[in-house]
Amino acid sequence: LRTLLRQLWTHLARRRRLQLGVLLLVMLASSVGEVLSLAAVLPFLAVLANPTGLWSQRLVQQWAPRLGIGGRADSKSVTGILASAVSMS
């Protein structure tokens, strides 16, 4: 397999080799971006699965009163709004 790839590489023009290298870099960057986008969705899924667990977070306990979110009923509506916003983007 290595010899076949080496022979193929020698038959490629310099411009095509450069294009292949750039393509490989773009594919690598795309895969990293895909992993990061999946990792960004996981916290929203966790809140949707267990909305009451959201109130055990210290940061939420500090910021909820400042934002006017009073209880678990409000958190469900905020969670729904956030989930809708994420799905639209």
Side-chain angles (χ1 to χ4, degrees), residues 1-12:
L1 182 63
R2 284 185 184 175
T3 57
L4 289 175
L5 287 175
R6 210 171 274 144
Q7 287 175 356
L8 179 63
W9 186 258
T10 59
H11 288 295
L12 290 176

Side-chain angles (χ1 to χ4, degrees), residues 7 9 14 19 21-22 29-30 44 56 61 66-67 73 76:
Q7 287 175 356
W9 186 258
R14 183 176 182 162
Q19 288 174 343
V22 171
S30 174
F44 289 109
S56 64
Q61 291 174 357
R66 294 179 189 171
L67 296 174
K76 288 183 181 179

